[in-house]
Amino acid sequence: MLNFEIALAFQELADLLEFKGEDFFKIRAYRRAARVIACLDEPVGQLFANKKLLQVPGIGKNIASKIEELLTTGKMNKLEEMRKKFHPGLIEIMNLPGIGPKRAGILFKHLQVASLNELDRAARSEHIRKLPGLGAKTEQEIIRNIQMLQKNTGRYLLGPAKTLAAELCDLLAGFPGVKKIEVTGGVRRWQETVSSINLVAETGNPEALCLFLASHPRAKEVQICSKYRVKISTWWGIDIELLTAQEKDYWAALLWSTGNTAHCQKLASLARMKGYELSARGLADAQGRIVTLSSEDDLYSHLDLPFIPPELREDKGEIEYCLETGKLPDLVDQKDIKGDLHVHSNWSDGVSSIEQIADQAIGLGYSYVAITDHSASLKIAGGLSAEKLLEQREYIRELNKKYENFQVLHGIEADILSGGSLDCPEDILNKMDIVIASVHTGFRQDRAAMTGRIISAVTNKNVDAVGHLTGRLIGTRRGYEVDAEKIFQAAKTHGTCMEINSSPDRLDLNEDYSRLAKRHGLKMVINTDAHDLRRMREIPFGVAVARRAWLCPADILNTADLGDLLNTLKSKKNNR
DNA sequence: GCCGTTTTCGGCCCGACTGTTTTCAGTCG
């Protein structure tokens, strides 16, 4: 059983217990376990076999025994019991913004509503406004939120899709006859959400491999199963498509399967103009002979094009640009990132100590990391008071004595309060190495108010960057409305950066806003906003957004060496 | 539920915002 599935089981159990009204801390313990398991590097089965489960933080005797039950029987009794007690549709409803366990209970009790479709119908026929504690506004909000979810139906977040794709790749790579296998499609192009996981494998035994995938225990329905291609829908909710190839046509298959369709078709047209025929089955010359290729790069060369990175293959002008200039811009790369400038420690709501974060940063090859804990008003996150911040500053100053060629920077993620002021005294902000300003409350302000609020922060001389500009959570929470043009103009005037938040459920700025920010001449900073060590490894997601927006190292603040970075930050403060 | 310790049980996530009320319940960050 995959870690991913075990984590989902605990997540579902927590959701059901929440509906039941179970003790808050017990629910939180299950949620924590789900998160921890999803983040493990080692298969849970292996930890269990080596009797190391209890060493994992957040897993105690009770949860360990439930894991054992899952691993040995494939089921968890407690979860099965809860499933019998409560309608599965209730979780779907509870996951809607604004609907928690209480409201889901009211809706079920009075209207027998137990699915999003039923809820939508009830809302549209104005039944919800008649229920106790609910009204017309809530009813309209429900309709809007269901629309948002429906827009994302069949879409899967890139983060979990990548994890699942990697686990599948490992599984298939071990099948007899498989020589090469690679993840392709939207996952390889780093689309923020994908509808399927695509794979290409070079194998001497394609039919057997296709049958192997088609008979996967999590396969729900086999949509296509031919001698060289298989497509299944799965109980995970995502489709999986595998294309097989021989040595001679592997690179063309890889290209074709990576897509997108428009990019490939444009390449096929270009190939025809040069006397070739390009398809998933290879690049054929005028006589119909398959051209031997050594790489995807080689394939592009035959079309007189430079290698186009997968992130750019969206038919957004990349082919035309190459034809015109013969090359692509020098896009920012993960190796260009010299440090993470937005990380939370256990001084606020992060789980790791500052020292652990520094060690992780060094392990990632960084020259610096900024500790940016929450500001005081964010009580739930244990936001830091001015006194605490000064204490933290001293702590970091001491800690830095032990490092050579590496520095921990002292920063803060200051809340932009409803009126636009910052949740931290200016004299404290002024002492910080870096100040990220973000919105965490008052999400429902209208576009003008929210824009004005953020512009107030952008024009504050102590603010270096705006964190997660729109506050969206992909697929679950619409971002607040902002006039990005106005904010970017103000940011340009005041030399403030925009963050590309790398968290796969945020990716905020998204690629469109990143492109727009570049057009305004802004610098961006690619951060993880990590609350634990593992999530500090999510920088590639932010880098991918930047690449899809055609950003170069010079567009990104944290590609600078430590000295240059400190000079930039200081000179900004002095110049204002 | 887990964790840490005081080793047997108490602490762990509080407060703003919204929409509904007409003083507050529910949700969320």
Side-chain angles (χ1 to χ4, degrees):
Chain A
M1 192 176 259
L2 303 177
N3 289 3
F4 175 76
E5 293 174 77
I6 297 173
L8 275 185
F10 282 109
Q11 186 65 47
E12 188 184 346
L13 180 61
D15 285 343
L16 287 166
L17 289 173
E18 192 175 11
F19 183 75
K20 187 186 164 205
E22 185 58 90
D23 175 54
F24 165 81
F25 295 103
K26 190 185 278 190
I27 296 165
R28 200 179 63 171
Y30 282 125
R31 288 207 201 288
R32 183 177 179 212
R35 201 173 56 240
V36 166
I37 291 165
C39 288
L40 285 172
D41 286 326
E42 208 177 329
V44 173
Q46 199 171 308
L47 285 170
F48 169 67
N50 296 333
K51 301 196 184 341
K52 284 186 175 169
L53 269 183
L54 288 171
Q55 290 172 20
V56 178
I59 296 182
K61 275 186 188 164
N62 192 303
I63 289 180
S65 77
K66 288 185 169 59
I67 292 175
E68 179 177 358
E69 202 188 336
L70 278 170
L71 288 171
T72 50
T73 69
K75 283 187 176 175
M76 189 204 302
N77 258 331
K78 192 176 171 93
L79 178 59
E80 297 301 320
E81 277 171 27
M82 295 297 293
R83 279 176 176 165
K84 273 182 212 153
K85 265 190 207 165
F86 301 106
H87 199 289
L90 289 170
I91 292 182
E92 195 180 54
I93 288 174
M94 257 165 60
N95 284 335
L96 203 66
I99 307 290
K102 296 275 164 50
R103 285 180 178 168
I106 290 172
L107 289 163
F108 187 68
K109 185 177 161 202
H110 290 86
L111 301 173
Q112 289 76 52
V113 157
S115 74
L116 278 186
N117 282 338
E118 287 168 13
L119 181 63
D120 195 42
R121 273 201 297 277
R124 287 176 193 278
S125 23
E126 302 190 350
H127 290 321
I128 288 171
R129 61 180 66 191
K130 296 168 195 151
L131 298 181
L134 297 160
K137 278 197 174 176
T138 309
E139 195 173 71
Q140 286 309 306
E141 192 61 15
I142 285 173
I143 294 172
R144 274 197 296 275
N145 283 325
I146 291 178
Q147 275 172 343
M148 174 195 71
L149 285 188
Q150 282 170 341
K151 222 172 94 185
N152 286 295
T153 302
R155 303 298 297 181
Y156 216 78
L157 274 185
L158 178 61
K162 256 197 170 325
T163 307
L164 182 55
E167 292 194 15
L168 280 168
C169 235
D170 283 349
L171 175 76
L172 297 179
F175 192 78
V178 174
K179 296 192 183 84
K180 284 202 274 287
I181 181 155
E182 218 163 315
V183 180
T184 64
V187 175
R188 187 171 178 228
R189 300 201 311 277
W190 294 80
Q191 277 194 309
E192 60 187 38
T193 61
V194 296
S195 58
S196 63
I197 289 174
N198 297 66
L199 303 158
V200 160
E202 181 194 328
T203 169
N205 198 353
E207 204 170 350
L209 185 66
C210 288
L211 282 173
F212 177 64
L213 182 58
S215 58
H216 192 283
R218 290 291 177 271
K220 191 175 177 183
E221 187 191 348
V222 179
Q223 298 174 25
I224 300 167
C225 189
S226 70
K227 280 183 185 167
Y228 65 92
R229 182 171 160 234
V230 60
K231 183 172 184 182
I232 57 173
S233 55
T234 67
W235 292 107
W236 296 308
I238 189 166
D239 292 349
I240 297 167
E241 184 167 1
L242 168 74
L243 180 67
T244 63
Q246 305 292 310
E247 189 179 1
K248 63 179 177 7
D249 55 22
Y250 178 77
W251 299 109
L254 179 65
L255 179 115
W256 208 262
S257 175
T258 299
N260 72 5
T261 309
H263 175 90
C264 289
Q265 282 175 347
K266 214 163 246 183
L267 289 183
S269 307
L270 197 60
R272 266 193 296 281
M273 282 158 56
K274 295 184 183 297
Y276 293 113
E277 197 60 45
L278 175 64
S279 74
R281 311 310 301 165
L283 181 72
D285 65 15
Q287 284 73 45
R289 289 176 305 219
I290 295 292
V291 178
T292 304
L293 299 165
S294 59
S295 62
E296 252 186 344
D297 201 347
D298 191 17
L299 204 169
Y300 279 105
S301 294
H302 276 80
L303 306 178
D304 294 323
L305 289 171
F307 176 76
I308 300 180
E311 298 95 314
L312 261 55
R313 300 181 196 171
E314 297 287 349
D315 189 30
K316 288 187 177 171
E318 68 279 5
I319 295 174
E320 292 78 358
Y321 187 94
C322 289
L323 288 172
E324 207 168 294
T325 65
K327 59 180 180 163
L328 281 166
D330 174 27
L331 300 180
V332 64
D333 191 273
Q334 202 185 322
K335 67 178 184 331
D336 297 319
I337 302 296
K338 301 291 196 317
D340 192 339
L341 295 175
H342 185 170
V343 180
H344 295 271
S345 77
N346 58 7
W347 284 59
S348 67
D349 62 344
V351 298
S352 317
S353 69
I354 296 176
E355 211 167 347
Q356 286 174 319
I357 292 168
D359 289 342
Q360 173 79 333
I362 292 167
L364 288 167
Y366 293 160
S367 310
Y368 46 84
V369 67
I371 303 299
T372 53
D373 280 313
H374 289 288
S375 56
S377 74
L378 212 58
K379 301 285 183 193
I380 188 181
L384 302 186
S385 63
E387 294 71 35
K388 266 285 182 199
L389 282 165
L390 290 174
E391 191 188 320
Q392 190 182 44
R393 177 181 155 87
E394 281 313 304
Y395 177 86
I396 289 174
R397 194 204 297 265
E398 278 302 308
L399 184 65
N400 269 325
K401 289 179 182 165
K402 79 178 240 198
Y403 302 118
E404 273 177 40
N405 305 318
F406 179 82
Q407 191 172 324
V408 180
L409 305 181
H410 187 216
I412 183 171
E413 184 181 22
D415 248 40
I416 306 175
L417 301 172
S418 289
S421 62
L422 291 181
D423 178 35
C424 188
E426 293 296 332
D427 61 321
I428 303 282
L429 291 179
N430 191 259
K431 289 191 170 78
M432 296 277 165
D433 295 321
I434 182 162
V435 174
I436 312 264
S438 315
V439 169
H440 290 109
T441 53
F443 280 40
R444 297 200 188 176
Q445 283 182 331
D446 65 28
R447 179 179 157 103
M450 191 59 93
T451 302
R453 178 178 171 186
I454 297 174
I455 286 178
S456 296
V458 158
T459 56
N460 182 312
K461 68 182 171 60
N462 289 316
V463 170
D464 298 294
V466 173
H468 46 71
L469 178 68
T470 74
R472 73 166 176 169
L473 292 178
I474 302 172
T476 58
R477 186 174 79 198
R478 293 190 307 263
Y480 32 81
E481 295 281 327
V482 292
D483 186 335
E485 290 262 5
K486 270 193 185 164
I487 293 171
F488 291 170
Q489 277 162 14
K492 177 65 184 165
T493 308
H494 291 82
T496 310
C497 297
M498 287 291 142
E499 175 183 82
I500 295 178
N501 191 296
S502 304
S503 179
D505 56 350
R506 288 189 183 272
L507 300 181
D508 186 13
L509 308 178
N510 66 13
E511 60 181 280
D512 292 337
Y513 277 147
S514 300
R515 215 172 280 123
L516 184 67
K518 175 166 177 159
R519 276 212 295 278
H520 279 81
L522 294 186
K523 273 221 179 196
M524 272 146 276
V525 52
I526 303 176
N527 293 326
T528 60
D529 194 1
H531 288 67
D532 61 61
L533 296 180
R534 166 142 185 143
R535 300 200 68 175
M536 284 178 70
R537 289 189 237 150
E538 290 178 344
I539 279 283
F541 289 90
V543 170
V545 171
R547 288 170 66 86
R548 286 173 64 91
W550 295 49
L551 303 190
C552 304
D555 299 317
I556 311 294
L557 178 71
N558 49 334
T559 56
D561 291 331
L562 177 63
D564 290 341
L565 175 79
L566 291 175
N567 284 337
T568 306
L569 292 173
K570 268 184 207 150
S571 71
K572 273 170 143 186
K573 275 194 177 120
N574 295 337
N575 285 340
R576 285 176 189 155

